[in-house]
Amino acid sequence: MIVMINHVFGSTLSATLLNIFLLILCLYPVIGSFFWFCGALSYRWLRTEKTDSDWQVLPKNKQPMVTIMIPAHNEEIMIADTINYLFEQLNYDNYEVLVMNDGSTDETEKIVMDLEDKYPRLRMIHIVKNEGKAHAFNIGMFFAKGDYILSNDADTIPEPDALMKYMNYFIHDRDLNTSAVTANMDVSNRTKLLGKSQTVEFSSIVGVIKRSQAAINDSMYAYSGANTLYRKSFLIDVGGFRQDRATEDISIAWDHQMIGAVPRFAPNIVFHMNVPETISDLYRQRKRWAQGGTEVWLTNIKKFVCHPIKKRYQMSMFVDSTLSIIWSFFFLITAALFIATLIYFAMTGNWERFMHSIEMSFIFVSFEMFAGFMQLLAALILDHHGAKLKYLLFAPLYMLFYWMINPVTVVMTFIPALKTIFGRGSGTWVSPKRRKILNEEKNKTD
């Protein structure tokens, strides 16, 4: 492609700049992986990452009130186990559990009502029509008794000390501008190959990327929707969650940072969650994530272009999102051209050029694989004191599959994201297939 540009433009400045831009796009995955790798190490050793023992137990009379909010739409499989766990296993006293029954048509409502007799601090708000997770949260905010709200999905199990550790990120004077703290997610259902591969992926995303983002200007691309503790006043300051967005956790993270609030990542707080176990479920999940990312980029692009100095602390996040979206289109276009070129060489019998193209692509992919391997190796070493290193064998599968599915989902959801920006979005949701995870957690040693 660079040769074609030189042929069309000659050696002009425009051609030179365009070649540099295309080279950046070609090397974007490699540069990105090494950037996250260095950022994670900086966070670990230069920013003094909190460890499992670096927190204090708050006495009962000094524990701030926390509302654990569970958005629930047809969650009959998981809801009882989750509620029982939250009341019987958490090492915290001053909290309540608020279930937002978002138009469930199964036995969710009946199960929660039965549990209300068992737990006085359990309440349920019944929403007649399913309007989405963000809508349920916005309603729940005004019924929540706590000054802090923990979003907890119906299939999410936080560690027993989670609330106590969370509050340690809010109680100091330096934490007054902290809007939310998001925890370190761990995959519970690892029995299938896809679950094991996502264990590597979440370590990469949480263990490396969020550490790197936190190390650079205290930025964060997204909270974890499954388990994040919000300061309620900051939710109100930005008008709550955007109800027409595909991903409320990405949009609220950007909204907080646009007003100068500080997001925090807590690698020493672990919660366990279910992940998709089929390709179709995984693809639907990633389409929603990709659309949510594009939506926040489109929402905020004018702010960054018109006020780059004012938004300088969030600029690295915006630049990375911009390159990621452009690279997704670039990857699919160049992949199609590459395949077409190979077909042409094969049909014309030019096997020398055919093999040369294969060799060059193999060399480039090898660089990408090495960079991704370094990123994942750092993630698995940093997360849980290297306990997940045994999953390193699944890293190649993750890298190949993730780098393929990510650009596809970004391109496929770009038009729906545009429609959302023009007022035609919807935040309604359908819960994925659930499976019990408590028994699996008891049997785990890692």
Side-chain angles (χ1 to χ4, degrees):
M1 180 171 288
I2 293 176
V3 174
M4 293 173 59
I5 290 171
N6 289 331
H7 178 73
V8 175
F9 291 92
S11 59
T12 64
L13 178 62
S14 299
T16 301
L17 294 176
L18 188 55
N19 283 334
I20 293 174
F21 180 68
L22 290 175
L23 181 62
I24 291 174
L25 287 179
C26 288
L27 297 177
Y28 171 71
V30 178
I31 297 173
S33 291
F34 279 110
F35 179 81
W36 301 132
F37 172 77
C38 295
L41 296 182
S42 298
Y43 181 83
R44 174 63 181 86
W45 282 290
L46 299 182
R47 292 291 297 269
T48 314
E49 175 181 320
K50 284 182 178 290
T51 63
D52 291 339
S53 59
D54 189 20
W55 57 281
Q56 58 179 305
V57 176
L58 301 177
K60 291 182 180 181
N61 61 341
K62 291 187 178 181
Q63 294 177 7
M65 178 66 177
V66 177
T67 295
I68 302 177
M69 195 178 298
I70 304 176
H73 176 68
N74 294 340
E75 300 285 3
E76 61 182 3
I77 294 178
M78 291 293 306
I79 194 70
D81 286 344
T82 300
I83 291 174
N84 284 325
Y85 177 92
L86 293 176
F87 277 112
E88 296 174 7
Q89 300 297 323
L90 292 185
N91 300 324
Y92 200 84
D93 297 286
N94 194 18
Y95 71 97
E96 64 168 351
V97 175
L98 182 63
V99 177
M100 304 304 299
N101 181 28
D102 191 22
S104 296
T105 56
D106 62 356
E107 296 297 311
T108 298
E109 182 178 4
K110 182 181 182 303
I111 293 171
V112 177
M113 289 179 66
D114 291 340
L115 289 172
E116 283 180 316
D117 296 331
K118 181 179 180 182
Y119 302 113
R121 289 180 293 167
L122 172 63
R123 294 184 294 145
M124 178 174 59
I125 306 298
H126 180 63
I127 302 173
V128 177
K129 183 181 179 182
N130 172 20
E131 295 288 350
K133 187 176 179 180
H135 177 261
F137 266 122
N138 287 340
I139 293 177
M141 277 196 305
F142 297 97
F143 289 90
K145 297 178 181 179
D147 293 325
Y148 299 87
I149 297 177
L150 176 70
S151 67
N152 194 97
D153 283 357
D155 66 335
T156 299
I157 303 298
E159 64 169 293
D161 292 323
L163 285 183
M164 197 70 74
K165 289 182 178 180
Y166 267 128
M167 291 313 308
N168 274 256
Y169 286 85
F170 288 100
I171 60 177
H172 307 99
D173 292 339
R174 63 177 181 272
D175 302 324
L176 291 177
N177 206 33
T178 299
S179 56
V181 179
T182 194
N184 197 348
M185 66 182 74
D186 189 24
V187 175
S188 176
N189 49 330
R190 306 177 192 170
T191 55
K192 295 184 178 180
L193 182 61
L194 207 55
K196 297 178 188 295
S197 301
Q198 289 175 85
T199 299
V200 177
E201 177 187 355
F202 282 123
S203 285
S204 173
I205 292 174
V206 177
V208 169
I209 294 181
K210 287 191 175 179
R211 280 181 171 91
S212 299
Q213 290 171 338
I216 302 172
N217 297 329
D218 287 319
S219 62
M220 189 176 296
Y221 178 79
Y223 299 136
S224 170
N227 208 258
T228 293
L229 186 64
Y230 297 93
R231 197 192 298 265
K232 186 165 67 173
S233 61
F234 274 102
L235 291 177
I236 296 173
D237 286 344
V238 296
F241 295 88
R242 295 178 183 258
Q243 297 179 183
D244 61 344
R245 296 300 194 255
T247 51
E248 85 293 336
D249 47 356
I250 299 178
S251 63
I252 193 67
W254 281 62
D255 287 344
H256 276 159
Q257 290 166 91
M258 289 301 101
I259 66 170
V262 177
R264 301 290 298 278
F265 172 54
N268 63 323
I269 304 175
V270 179
F271 67 91
H272 307 278
M273 60 178 290
N274 266 312
V275 297
E277 294 186 311
T278 64
I279 297 295
S280 59
D281 286 342
L282 181 64
Y283 180 69
R284 282 193 293 269
Q285 181 195 63
R286 299 314 159 90
K287 280 184 64 178
R288 184 172 62 85
W289 289 3
Q291 181 175 335
T294 304
E295 286 171 356
V296 296
W297 181 77
L298 291 169
T299 300
N300 295 286
I301 185 172
K302 183 179 179 181
K303 299 176 184 177
F304 283 100
V305 172
C306 296
H307 306 285
I309 303 300
K310 183 178 180 180
K311 302 298 180 184
R312 62 189 181 279
Y313 295 114
Q314 297 82 32
M315 186 59 71
S316 60
M317 183 174 65
F318 173 75
V319 170
D320 180 62
S321 298
T322 303
L323 288 175
S324 178
I325 293 172
I326 296 176
W327 177 81
S328 297
F329 284 90
F330 174 80
F331 173 80
L332 292 184
I333 293 172
T334 53
L337 291 175
F338 177 73
I339 294 173
T341 303
L342 289 181
I343 294 174
Y344 172 76
F345 288 152
M347 292 179 64
T348 57
N350 193 344
W351 298 110
E352 181 180 353
R353 295 292 300 274
F354 181 92
M355 293 305 300
H356 178 73
S357 299
I358 294 293
E359 290 169 0
M360 292 301 296
S361 64
F362 178 79
I363 292 173
F364 182 72
V365 170
S366 296
F367 274 106
E368 288 190 340
M369 294 287 286
F370 177 74
F373 178 82
M374 294 298 294
Q375 174 185 336
L376 292 173
L377 180 62
L380 295 176
I381 291 175
L382 291 174
D383 256 7
H384 310 294
H385 308 290
K388 294 182 181 179
L389 273 173
K390 64 181 181 181
Y391 293 104
L392 188 62
L393 294 175
F394 300 95
L397 177 64
Y398 152 72
M399 286 183 284
L400 288 175
F401 185 74
Y402 178 78
W403 282 347
M404 292 293 181
I405 197 173
N406 187 56
V408 172
T409 54
V410 169
V411 173
M412 292 292 292
T413 58
F414 193 82
I415 298 301
L418 279 174
K419 291 181 179 179
T420 297
I421 300 304
F422 288 109
R424 297 176 59 186
S426 173
T428 56
W429 57 319
V430 177
S431 296
K433 294 179 181 179
R434 306 294 199 197
R435 58 182 293 181
K436 292 181 180 292
I437 63 175
L438 284 177
N439 291 335
E440 297 175 6
E441 283 306 311
K442 292 178 181 179
N443 295 327
K444 277 187 185 176
T445 58
D446 53 351

